[in-house]
Amino acid sequence: MRPDTKFLKPILLSPLKVAMIYAIFGVLWIVFSDTALHAVVQDPDLEAKLQTGKGWFFILVTAALIYGLTYNLVANARAAHDQIQAVNESLEQRVLDRTASLAARESYIRAVLDHSAEAIITLDNRGIIETFNPAACEVFGYSSDEAIGQSVSILIPEKSRSVHDVYMQNTHQYSKTIINKPRDVVARRKDGENFPIKITISPMIIENETKYVALMHDITTRKSIEEQLVTAKANAEGANRAKSDFLSSMSHELRTPLNAIIGFSDSLIGGVFGKIENEAHIEYLAHIRSSGEHLLELINEILDLSRIEAGKLKLNIEKVSPCDLIHECVNLFSDQAEKHNVSIELGEISPNSIQVSMDERRLRQVLLNLMSNGIKYNQNGGRLNVSCEEPDENTLRIYFTDTGHGIAAKDLENLFVPFNRLIAEETDIPGTGIGLTLCKRLMEEMGGEIGVESIEGKGSKFWIDMPRIS
Ligand code: ADP
């Protein structure tokens, strides 16, 4: 915008005018002063003295000086004006630029608010709603026009409003609990429905005034899934407890008659009630006994598993010498190994002095199971090697390495799944399919671990880790 310069014209003309007026008056004075002098002064000598040609010179010089001075003043004023005009123009440009950038920034922030999936509202320090974005409209059912200017308490269920008021009045006191801390709270929709939200409130200082921005997310779906999960978990736990109780009482009830069946068939085979002549009858009795034993083993394992699941397994953790246990188990299996034509080799075994922290009875159960498998699933003429290693100073590891048929890589992940006998299902090798599951659970309960590596057709290497004491 060009500034108005008309006001300068009178200023520019004035030096000339001043000089001319001054000169006219000077000339008049010179012309008439002589006449006046002549009329007033009678003495010709005095008159001559008073008349002087210097007057002309004085008038011209003075006029020139005045003109120069005035011209200079005007030139300065003009330069100052030009400068002011330039500054003005640059200021105006900066204001225009700033306004444009503010407008761009505002539309950017507006776009963020409009497109945010989170409900965003801002409040002044009295809790009056100042911003209410579209997501907030969707969540709460109010339009932004309806919500802005209202107290935030319209979004709060009636019974929680008093608590909220206390928070608003004592924000300093409660800032640690509510400010910048995501919380799950109950909110209220326009139609009066209460629903759960996750809310984070943050303070902001705008023009020396504290305001609050609240980010909210409707968590109705999540809460209902959580509730369903909690109910499902409680139901599953209840069912599991009922199952464990059932198993435990059933197992108890079954074991007594089973022990009688095994005991009587044993006595009959041994001829306690008179010699049995018929070979076929003896064979039937042997079947009854081995079936009874198998059933008893299954019942005992199921009982142990249900005890662990119910958290009712009682452990007696003490110092155990694994070396002694290994020798004991190897001796126990010597007959079975011979029957299967498998040789048991003792590799490097930890010295007697090494002790681990375990329940001796349960550790023996694990060792027996792993050795039994190493023999059962071995090949005719195969080997089972038992050895120890110390992977670190706090752990003792026992390896059971066999030369059996091994386990396919795809089956390894199902190895510890209860009742999964893998390919043994199709063989006549006796088993229940829960021995390894039980070993794993027992080792974990005792603070140890179990693992396996296997190559199909070549053999398997099971290992157990135990916490070392010395
Ligand atoms: P069970 O021996 O009573 O069937 P386990 O839980 O002890 O049950 O073992 C589960 C399955 O894992 C077995 O049926 C068998 O197929 C496989 N398995 C276990 N140990 C070995 C092993 N040393 N070599 C090959 N397969 C094994």
Side-chain angles (χ1 to χ4, degrees), residues 64-111:
L65 275 176
I66 288 169
Y67 179 79
L69 200 63
T70 316
Y71 187 85
N72 196 33
L73 274 173
V74 170
N76 280 348
R78 192 178 196 166
H81 171 267
D82 286 350
Q83 235 171 349
I84 288 167
Q85 187 185 337
V87 169
N88 190 31
E89 275 174 7
S90 127
L91 273 176
E92 272 175 6
Q93 191 52 49
R94 280 172 68 185
V95 167
L96 283 177
D97 291 350
R98 189 95 186 112
T99 311
S101 108
L102 281 175
R105 185 110 202 107
E106 198 189 322
S107 64
Y108 181 84
I109 291 169
R110 175 70 25 222

Side-chain angles (χ1 to χ4, degrees), residues 294 297 301 369-370 372-378 400 402 404-407 414-425 429-439 454 459-462:
H294 176 70
E297 188 193 346
E301 285 179 343
N369 203 305
L370 293 175
S372 163
N373 283 354
I375 295 168
K376 272 197 305 188
Y377 300 112
N378 218 314
F400 304 84
D402 65 57
H405 58 66
I407 302 159
N414 295 319
L415 195 60
F416 297 100
V417 175
F419 304 106
N420 197 333
R421 296 207 66 212
L422 310 179
I423 57 161
E425 205 77 69
I429 302 171
T432 58
I434 51 172
L436 282 180
T437 311
L438 195 55
C439 288
S454 189
S460 309
K461 188 192 232 181
F462 282 82

Side-chain angles (χ1 to χ4, degrees), residues 67 69 98 117 119 177 189 196 212 269 286 325 380 419:
Y67 179 79
L69 200 63
R98 189 95 186 112
T177 353
R189 282 190 234 279
Y212 298 94
I269 294 167
L325 265 184
N380 195 1
F419 304 106

Side-chain angles (χ1 to χ4, degrees), residues 331-381:
N331 286 338
L332 269 174
F333 274 109
S334 56
D335 281 354
Q336 198 185 329
E338 209 177 314
K339 214 169 93 189
H340 284 80
N341 195 19
V342 170
S343 58
I344 303 180
E345 298 168 352
L346 283 179
E348 205 165 302
I349 296 294
S350 64
N352 273 331
S353 58
I354 290 189
Q355 291 188 309
V356 291
S357 172
M358 290 264 125
D359 178 312
E360 187 169 345
R361 187 166 81 88
R362 295 302 182 178
L363 179 58
R364 184 184 288 107
Q365 190 176 347
V366 173
L367 296 185
L368 289 176
N369 203 305
L370 293 175
M371 276 193 201
S372 163
N373 283 354
I375 295 168
K376 272 197 305 188
Y377 300 112
N378 218 314
Q379 53 177 311
N380 195 1

Side-chain angles (χ1 to χ4, degrees), residues 108 126 193 257 299 318 327 456:
Y108 181 84
R126 291 167 302 132
E193 186 202 349
I299 287 166
E318 56 186 339
H327 284 106
E456 198 175 5

